[in-house]
């Protein structure tokens, strides 16, 4: 493996922190704070800047204490950009309230939703059966 690159975006006024650790072809993205209407454009801009061709992403959202429908939209938009660039994503979600939001929004129909990064990477490596395609969402 090559050298790991770590990028960090943090702005307390926006209420969100996004940190990426990356090697060629794959990235772990860690979220802290909240993704809501008020900071959704900033979150979307920062995530879009991380998209690389043929890359795979594990998004660990356990550091979020709040997400609304626009926040979910930011994640879906990021996923579509990743897919269009030839990559894929999986989520790490341990908090019960976030898991419930993902179930209500049917994210578990489209993406692997794991409780650890290792499980998420295994799902991406082995492939997973989607109940719904991202383009249909």
């Amino acid at each position: 493996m090559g050298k790991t690159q770590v990028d960090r975006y943090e702005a307390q006024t926006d209420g969100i922190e996004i940190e990426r650790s990356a090697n060629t072809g794959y990235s772990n993205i860690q979220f802290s704070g909240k993704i809501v209407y008020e900071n959704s454009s900033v979150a979307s801009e920062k995530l879009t800047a991380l998209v690389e061709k043929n890359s795979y992403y594990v998004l660990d959202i356990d550091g979020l204490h709040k997400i609304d429908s626009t926040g979910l939209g930011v994640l879906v938009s990021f996923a579509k950009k990743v897919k269009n660039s030839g990559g894929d994503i999986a989520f790490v979600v341990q908090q019960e309230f976030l898991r419930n939001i993902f179930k209500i929004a049917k994210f578990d129909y489209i993406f692997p939703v794991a409780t650890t990064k290792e499980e998420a990477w295994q799902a991406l490596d082995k492939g997973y059966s989607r109940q719904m395609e991202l383009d249909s969402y």
Side-chain angles (χ1 to χ4, degrees):
M1 275 195 224
K3 184 178 176 186
T4 299
Q5 172 186 346
V6 177
D7 300 317
R8 175 174 282 186
Y9 165 75
E10 181 177 3
Q12 289 302 320
T13 56
D14 294 326
I16 187 168
E17 180 179 337
I18 301 171
E19 182 177 327
R20 176 184 76 148
S21 57
N23 277 312
T24 304
Y26 67 91
S27 294
N28 288 306
I29 300 176
Q30 183 98 24
F31 292 86
S32 298
K34 60 185 177 180
I35 306 176
V36 293
Y37 175 77
E38 292 81 12
N39 69 1
S40 61
S41 60
V42 171
S44 181
E45 177 185 315
K46 298 304 173 188
L47 283 172
T48 297
L50 299 177
V51 176
E52 297 175 351
K53 272 201 165 315
N54 302 315
S55 289
Y56 294 85
Y57 301 84
V58 168
L59 283 68
D60 185 340
I61 66 162
D62 256 5
L64 292 177
H65 63 269
K66 187 174 185 180
I67 188 166
D68 65 11
S69 60
T70 49
L72 293 173
V74 166
L75 298 177
V76 169
S77 177
F78 175 72
K80 286 182 178 183
K81 289 172 184 160
V82 168
K83 181 181 178 196
N84 290 338
S85 74
D88 206 354
I89 71 168
F91 289 94
V92 175
V93 186
Q94 292 179 352
Q95 293 187 61
E96 191 64 30
F97 90 93
L98 290 170
R99 290 186 80 76
N100 288 337
I101 289 170
F102 269 43
K103 285 181 184 178
I104 291 167
K106 301 208 182 300
F107 270 40
D108 56 336
Y109 281 37
I110 304 166
F111 310 108
V113 178
T115 57
T116 67
K117 287 180 186 172
E118 292 76 21
E119 288 175 8
W121 282 115
Q122 284 178 357
L124 289 174
D125 286 343
K126 293 179 181 177
Y128 56 95
S129 178
R130 290 183 168 101
Q131 295 178 24
M132 182 187 304
E133 287 299 317
L134 181 57
D135 294 336
S136 302
Y137 190 76

